[in-house]
């Protein structure tokens, strides 16, 4: 199990077992889990429900920190505590957010302040004093974009609640098609559920979702762009890869997501070089690395191009670029172009 999902599970598990904290700071790229965390904290802090007297909500740039602090310092009326929610704090200038600092030194014990930051499109500078103080003032948790193996497990669980059973290749296809964002994947499951319709037998038997169904229902635009990129990089076609990346960024696709898909690609390529996989049949190989047999030949071709030492170096570069995308002042396009250059040229010469 990956650390990211474990962090989220530990947050929800601990929340149920502990008293409501005076401050919660939750942030990250995984929007659906952030929303679920906000709802869970509010329910935990105000189990009797919220009302106009004991609940205040502020949003992003519209939030005035003096008003937020005033709301936090008010006493609850006919309730154990007040709940103050500040959504999208990543949109608040840090100079303005810093006005929370003195309140965080001594937060009201009768108020639960929830500070939410959605960082998929706008990063939050964790080096700033007020951000460090937010993390220390109460309970904090990062809901980062999940790893693919974590998403597959959640997909299977959410599909099961709808009476669906996803074949392994379907989970892999969905992640390739729409990424690892749970909200988008949940919408895809809704579409599949509606497309298949109720179980005609009237039993509770799970309805099987195969590759033909998911291809019919879920648009594969992103699949094409991702596979075009991984194929160009896998063939060390530098100019083609640069062109594809430029188009992906222009179309609003995440640079972090692109790096994640490249990392997935090279994990599969490395897995195909494992002796326990190398001698399997085509369908067995596809099942072992959780890809469609239709795409297997491309991964096998790249497995012949890149040795294990090459792949280890590439994966180190991917990790470095992933961190830089989340913290560096360099723009996403520059970081991705340098990454592609390193894979296409430096690794070839290694």
């Amino acid at each position: 199990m990956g650390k990211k999902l474990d962090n989220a599970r530990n947050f929800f598990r601990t929340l149920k077992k502990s008293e409501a904290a005076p401050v919660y700071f939750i942030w990250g790229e995984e929007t659906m889990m952030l929303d679920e965390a906000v709802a869970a904290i509010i329910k935990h802090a105000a189990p009797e429900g919220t009302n106009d007297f004991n609940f205040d909500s502020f949003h992003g740039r519209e939030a005035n920190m003096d008003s937020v602090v005033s709301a936090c310092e008010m006493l609850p009326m006919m309730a154990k505590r007040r709940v103050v929610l500040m959504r999208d704090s990543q949109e608040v200038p840090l100079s303005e957010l810093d006005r929370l600092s003195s309140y965080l030194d001594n937060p009201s014990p009768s108020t639960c302040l929830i500070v939410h930051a959605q960082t998929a499109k706008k990063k939050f500078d964790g080096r700033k004093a007020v951000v460090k103080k937010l993390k220390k003032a109460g309970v904090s948790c990062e809901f980062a974009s999940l790893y693919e193996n974590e998403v597959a497990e959640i997909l299977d669980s959410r599909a099961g609640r709808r009476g669906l059973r996803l074949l392994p290749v379907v989970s892999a296809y969905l992640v390739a098609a729409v990424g690892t964002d749970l909200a988008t994947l949940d919408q895809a499951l809704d579409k599949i559920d509606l497309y298949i319709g109720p179980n005609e037998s009237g039993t509770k038997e799970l309805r099987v979702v195969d590759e033909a169904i998911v291809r019919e229902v879920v648009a594969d635009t992103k699949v094409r762009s991702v596979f075009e990129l991984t194929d160009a990089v896998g063939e060390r076609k530098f100019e083609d890869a640069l062109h594809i990346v430029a188009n992906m960024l222009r179309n609003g696709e995440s640079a972090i997501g692109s790096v994640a898909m490249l990392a997935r690609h090279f994990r599969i390529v490395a897995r195909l070089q494992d002796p326990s996989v190398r001698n399997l049949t085509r369908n067995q190989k596809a099942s072992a690395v959780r890809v469609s047999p239709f795409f297997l030949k491309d991964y096998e071709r790249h497995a012949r191009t890149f040795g294990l030492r090459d792949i280890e170096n590439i994966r180190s570069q991917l990790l470095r670029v992933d961190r830089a995308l989340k913290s560096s002042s360099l723009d996403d396009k520059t970081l991705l172009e340098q990454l592609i250059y390193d894979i296409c040229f430096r690794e070839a010469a290694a």
Side-chain angles (χ1 to χ4, degrees):
M1 181 53 56
K3 183 178 179 182
K4 295 177 181 180
L5 186 54
D6 278 345
N7 286 345
R9 283 178 170 163
N10 288 337
F11 174 83
F12 288 109
R13 192 180 300 121
T14 303
L15 182 68
K16 293 178 181 178
K17 297 179 180 179
S18 58
E19 277 290 313
V23 178
Y24 288 91
F25 177 43
I26 55 174
W27 78 99
E29 300 96 358
E30 180 37 62
T31 56
M32 190 168 185
M33 279 195 169
L34 280 171
D35 288 342
E36 290 174 350
V38 167
I41 295 168
I42 292 174
K43 185 176 181 179
H44 184 61
E48 70 283 359
T50 59
N51 55 51
D52 291 341
F53 297 108
N54 295 312
F55 179 75
D56 286 284
S57 181
F58 301 88
H59 188 275
R61 287 185 175 275
E62 300 169 6
N64 177 285
M65 290 304 108
D66 290 338
S67 298
V68 174
V69 172
S70 294
C72 290
E73 291 177 340
M74 289 177 64
L75 293 174
M77 184 179 294
M78 299 177 66
K80 185 176 180 180
R81 63 175 60 83
R82 302 192 85 253
V83 177
V84 178
L85 169 63
M86 187 169 69
R87 282 191 177 274
D88 291 323
S89 61
Q90 79 281 355
E91 298 293 342
V92 180
L94 285 173
S95 58
E96 176 75 7
L97 193 64
D98 195 53
R99 294 166 74 178
L100 273 181
S101 187
S102 59
Y103 175 79
L104 295 173
D105 288 332
N106 187 26
S108 170
S110 61
T111 293
C112 175
L113 169 63
I114 307 168
V115 180
H116 160 284
Q118 204 280 94
T119 59
K121 294 183 179 179
K122 187 168 184 179
K123 299 163 190 172
F124 218 4
D125 192 344
R127 297 168 295 181
K128 297 297 183 181
V130 67
V131 179
K132 292 180 179 178
K133 190 172 284 189
L134 273 169
K135 292 179 180 179
K136 294 179 180 178
V139 176
S140 66
C141 183
E142 179 181 11
F143 292 87
S145 297
L146 297 174
Y147 296 119
E148 288 171 49
N149 62 318
E150 296 171 327
V151 170
E153 179 182 340
I154 294 175
L155 269 177
D156 289 343
S157 174
R158 292 183 184 251
R161 292 178 209 164
R162 293 169 168 85
L164 303 172
R165 180 169 70 84
L166 307 181
L167 297 182
V169 67
V170 170
S171 296
Y173 181 91
L174 282 172
V175 172
V178 302
T180 58
D181 179 70
L182 290 184
T184 310
L185 288 166
D186 225 41
Q187 291 173 1
L189 289 176
D190 285 340
K191 291 179 182 178
I192 292 169
D193 191 10
L194 288 170
Y195 178 83
I196 295 176
N199 196 326
E200 293 182 0
S201 66
T203 67
K204 293 184 177 180
E205 184 178 353
L206 295 178
R207 294 161 291 160
V208 176
V209 182
D210 60 22
E211 188 174 1
I213 291 172
V214 75
R215 280 182 175 277
E216 184 71 25
V217 177
V218 180
D220 67 349
T221 304
K222 185 171 182 180
V223 173
R224 284 197 299 270
S225 63
V226 166
F227 283 144
E228 285 171 358
L229 175 60
T230 54
D231 194 57
V233 171
E235 297 294 321
R236 292 192 168 112
K237 295 178 179 177
F238 179 65
E239 296 294 337
D240 289 350
L242 287 186
H243 179 71
I244 294 165
V245 161
N247 283 336
M248 291 174 73
L249 292 177
R250 265 197 304 272
N251 291 330
E253 293 191 30
S254 164
I256 294 173
S258 298
V259 170
M261 293 310 296
L262 283 169
R264 171 185 181 271
H265 182 82
F266 282 105
R267 280 198 301 273
I268 293 170
V269 171
R271 180 84 172 109
L272 284 170
Q273 296 185 4
D274 188 314
S276 66
V277 175
R278 192 183 302 147
N279 296 322
L280 296 176
T281 66
R282 181 169 176 268
N283 286 338
Q284 287 173 333
K285 284 182 183 179
S287 177
V289 298
R290 294 177 68 88
V291 301
S292 165
F294 178 80
F295 298 124
L296 185 65
K297 62 182 183 301
D298 295 321
Y299 293 107
E300 289 183 313
R301 189 171 69 255
H302 299 161
R304 292 190 291 271
T305 302
F306 293 90
L308 283 174
R309 184 177 176 185
D310 292 334
I311 295 172
E312 283 305 310
N313 289 336
I314 289 169
R315 291 172 70 175
S316 296
Q317 291 170 8
L318 287 163
L319 179 60
R320 172 182 54 78
V321 172
D322 179 74
R323 289 171 176 165
L325 286 167
K326 296 172 182 175
S327 60
S328 172
S329 58
L330 289 173
D331 66 272
D332 293 354
K333 188 169 183 287
T334 299
L335 289 167
L336 287 180
E337 287 177 348
Q338 183 62 55
L339 170 66
I340 291 169
Y341 178 87
D342 288 343
I343 294 174
C344 290
F345 295 117
R346 295 187 181 177
E347 291 306 320

